[in-house]
């Protein structure tokens, strides 16, 4: 942790300003222009699992290389925004040379004033303070939107995945909002069962407890990835026949619907479940 902090400080306050000066670029905006190496761009786009169905937005797009690579190598469409008009003009020329003007667009505008709603993937190489300011807006995006960053984290939001190939790359998947009290119904052998469940959420981390068959019950192994929630509860109504219930579901606003597996191996049975949020967090 300490090593990571020292490396970040060196990068922010020594390397980044030095490379900006070497590139003879004025640091007049929130972040200087320092291009991401191509091998790191490819890792960011691989990590975000970019496909031709994606709309990628590069916030602070510099010379356009991230978006042009996303279009050329992954078939994606997208928009890059940068406040530096010269870099925007250079990006447009590079997009023409790469033959991807039908898929990418570069705009001279402030990333803080840019509508991000159409993005399925957002790429960033920004400074920690800018990332921390962006964090609340990014959390509001559609669940499942993938966010990838070169070198810097999104404040206290832990990445879902991080890799290191020359540089650090981080992936976050915008989580659905699942906090609050839920009333859950499931059809198990022996009839319908109900559970009242209280979920607490911090970013993609979820913990919960409730009442299942009038007994206090806890949830285990919870995972939230975009709008996909999974967790395990123990069906202990019959002490001689306890079984784990593996629930998986899709969150759609105030409803979660999915399937559950009861037990394991040959004894496993599959059932439907549904939950409705009855109280906001
Ligand atoms: C470190 S460079 C990253 C360039 C490119 N995304 C890459 O990874 O190669 C950051 C870029 O953000 C731009 N920038 C800084 N503040 C901005 C703002 N508020 N809105 C839009 N662009 C900004 C800078 O002009 C610079 O080109």
């Amino acid at each position: 942790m300490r090593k990571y902090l020292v490396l970040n400080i060196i990068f922010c306050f020594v390397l980044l300003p030095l490379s900006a000066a070497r590139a003879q670029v004025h640091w007049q905006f929130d972040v200087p222009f320092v291009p991401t190496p191509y091998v790191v761009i490819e890792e960011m786009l691989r990590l975000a699992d970019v496909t031709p169905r994606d709309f990628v937005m590069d916030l602070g797009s510099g010379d356009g290389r991230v978006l042009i690579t996303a279009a050329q190598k992954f078939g994606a469409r997208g928009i890059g925004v940068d406040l530096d008009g010269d870099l925007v003009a250079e990006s447009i020329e590079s997009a023409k040379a790469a033959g991807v003007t039908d898929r990418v667009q570069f705009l001279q505008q402030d990333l803080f004033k840019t509508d991000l709603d159409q993005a399925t993937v957002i790429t960033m190489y920004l400074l920690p303070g800018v990332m921390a300011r962006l964090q609340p807006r990014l959390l509001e995006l559609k669940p499942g939107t993938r966010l990838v960053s070169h070198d810097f984290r999104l404040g206290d939001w832990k990445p879902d995945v991080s890799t290191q190939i020359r540089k650090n790359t981080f992936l976050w998947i915008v989580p659905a909002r699942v906090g609050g009290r839920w009333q859950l119904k499931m059809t198990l052998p022996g009839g319908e069962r109900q559970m009242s469940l209280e979920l607490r959420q911090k970013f993609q981390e979820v913990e919960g407890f409730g009442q299942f068959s009038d007994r206090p019950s806890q949830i285990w192994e919870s995972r939230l990835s975009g709008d996909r929630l999974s967790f395990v509860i123990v069906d202990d109504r019959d002490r001689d026949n306890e079984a784990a219930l593996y629930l998986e579901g899709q969150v759609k606003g105030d409803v979660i619907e999915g399937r559950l597996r009861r037990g394991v191996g040959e004894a496993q049975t599959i059932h439907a479940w549904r939950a409705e949020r009855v109280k906001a967090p």
Side-chain angles (χ1 to χ4, degrees):
M1 187 65 195
R2 197 182 156 84
K3 185 177 147 213
Y4 177 75
L5 197 68
V6 171
L7 283 175
N8 258 359
I9 290 169
I10 293 173
F11 186 77
C12 290
F13 297 105
V14 184
L15 295 181
L16 203 59
L18 268 183
S19 38
R22 241 198 332 267
Q24 293 185 320
V25 172
H26 306 291
W27 186 341
Q28 52 181 325
F29 307 121
D30 297 300
V31 188
F33 171 54
V34 180
T36 297
Y38 280 99
V39 74
V40 179
I41 293 175
E42 290 185 5
E43 175 60 5
M44 290 166 76
L45 299 172
R46 185 198 70 80
L47 205 59
D49 199 14
V50 172
T51 73
R53 291 189 303 281
D54 279 311
F55 193 90
V56 180
M57 293 187 78
D58 189 26
L59 305 184
S61 48
D63 63 4
R65 57 177 62 201
V66 175
L67 210 54
I68 292 171
T69 306
Q72 268 187 324
K73 295 204 168 164
F74 297 82
R77 293 176 306 120
I79 289 181
V81 296
D82 204 292
L83 278 175
D84 187 323
D86 293 339
L87 286 171
V88 172
E90 187 184 331
S91 305
I92 294 170
E93 286 311 310
S94 302
K96 280 184 197 156
V100 294
T101 47
D102 57 331
R103 271 173 284 156
V104 302
Q105 214 187 340
F106 292 97
L107 305 173
Q108 183 177 8
Q109 71 185 42
D110 189 339
L111 64 91
F112 286 106
K113 296 182 181 149
T114 299
D115 181 354
L116 307 177
D117 285 350
Q118 63 180 324
T120 57
V121 174
I122 289 184
T123 55
M124 295 163 284
Y125 182 24
L126 302 166
L127 286 172
V130 177
M131 298 286 280
R133 275 170 70 198
L134 266 175
Q135 191 214 75
R137 277 190 68 205
L138 297 177
L139 254 181
E140 293 289 326
L141 292 176
K142 188 169 176 288
T145 306
R146 289 100 78 206
L147 317 170
V148 262
S149 166
H150 167 190
D151 250 345
F152 298 109
R153 290 168 183 253
L154 273 171
D156 57 348
W157 183 357
K158 278 191 207 155
D160 289 272
V161 185
S162 57
T163 61
Q164 202 174 34
I165 295 179
R166 249 192 226 154
K167 305 293 288 295
N168 289 311
T169 49
F170 302 107
L171 168 75
W172 296 262
I173 300 171
V174 175
R177 288 168 182 264
V178 297
R181 186 172 307 147
W182 297 80
Q183 199 59 39
L184 199 149
K185 285 184 187 164
M186 53 188 110
T187 315
L188 291 179
E192 187 179 274
R193 305 268 298 277
Q194 300 223 2
M195 179 175 189
S196 137
L197 187 62
E198 195 85 35
L199 294 182
R200 290 197 193 130
Q201 172 175 23
K202 186 179 179 204
F203 304 110
Q204 70 275 53
E205 291 171 335
V206 179
E207 57 177 26
F209 57 90
Q211 290 280 119
F212 185 37
S213 300
D214 300 327
R215 274 188 239 273
S217 179
Q218 191 177 340
I219 73 165
W220 307 93
E221 296 296 327
S222 53
R223 307 244 184 289
L224 177 62
S225 180
D227 63 359
R228 300 277 158 180
L229 177 69
S230 63
F231 58 91
V232 180
I233 48 183
V234 177
D235 180 5
D236 60 357
R237 191 167 59 167
D238 175 359
R239 287 283 179 191
D240 296 328
N241 186 22
E242 287 189 340
L245 305 178
Y246 300 85
L247 290 89
E248 290 171 354
Q250 185 178 18
V251 186
K252 294 177 193 158
D254 287 333
V255 172
I256 311 175
E257 271 179 319
R259 287 173 359 135
L260 72 85
R261 290 173 292 125
R262 185 182 190 281
V264 293
E266 307 227 321
Q268 188 173 89
T269 52
I270 295 179
H271 312 272
W273 67 281
R274 185 175 200 276
E276 269 179 42
R277 185 162 15 211
V278 290
K279 190 164 175 260

